[in-house]
Amino acid sequence: DNRAIDAAVAYANNKYYLIWKNQAQIPVMGVSDNLDGNWTLLGTPSLLSRDGSHNTHENFDFMYSNGKWYLLCTAYNNTNIHVPYLYTMKGNLTDDRAWLSWIDGYELNIRQTDWNDKEAANAASINDW
């Protein structure tokens, strides 16, 4: 089974970086010189939150701002409530292996209203255009 869902792509260092959730529901990352070319598997990213919580992650989105890469994703734990978490890349931004290390993750507190009262922000996205 080659199931891959919730993918996001970033372009940096003249390469494409891809994150997705595989058939085992585990995030994985790959790198390629072009979108149509051969992808090299980098591995499973480490997503470390500020509070030490270990969440399941999906619905990924990359963002580059102020000289840093960020990874926004939907996290859920045993309550099964989906919430947006934002992580910062750790390490040398030009090192392919750095794309596997994400730190300082924290929940973005999105206000609930009458139109988002079940899940305030499932599959959120932030763009710096």
Side-chain angles (χ1 to χ4, degrees):
D1 184 2
N2 290 324
R3 180 176 183 256
I5 62 171
D6 300 337
V9 176
Y11 182 73
N13 311 319
N14 294 315
K15 299 176 187 177
Y16 293 92
Y17 296 89
L18 175 67
I19 186 170
W20 70 97
K21 194 166 71 171
N22 68 14
Q23 66 272 9
Q25 303 293 309
I26 298 171
V28 290
M29 294 194 73
V31 63
S32 179
D33 292 331
N34 61 66
L35 285 175
D36 296 327
N38 294 323
W39 289 88
T40 301
L41 184 65
L42 291 174
T44 300
S46 171
L47 301 165
L48 301 176
S49 64
R50 289 179 182 172
D51 64 6
S53 63
H54 299 282
N55 298 306
T56 301
H57 297 86
E58 60 188 18
N59 303 322
F60 306 101
D61 187 31
F62 289 112
M63 182 183 77
Y64 184 78
S65 182
N66 298 320
K68 295 181 182 179
W69 277 102
Y70 298 90
L71 178 63
L72 177 65
C73 54
T74 301
Y76 60 94
N77 54 26
N78 58 359
T79 64
N80 210 28
I81 299 296
H82 293 72
V83 293
Y85 259 71
L86 185 65
Y87 294 87
T88 304
M89 181 190 286
K90 177 183 176 183
N92 182 342
L93 301 181
T94 62
D95 179 6
D96 289 347
R97 303 295 300 171
W99 287 81
L100 293 175
S101 185
W102 300 88
I103 60 169
D104 202 28
Y106 63 96
E107 180 181 342
L108 299 179
N109 293 311
I110 308 298
R111 192 179 76 137
Q112 288 186 304
T113 65
D114 58 349
W115 56 269
N116 69 347
D117 62 348
K118 183 171 187 260
E119 292 182 351
N122 190 346
S125 178
I126 297 176
N127 298 287
D128 184 18
W129 293 332

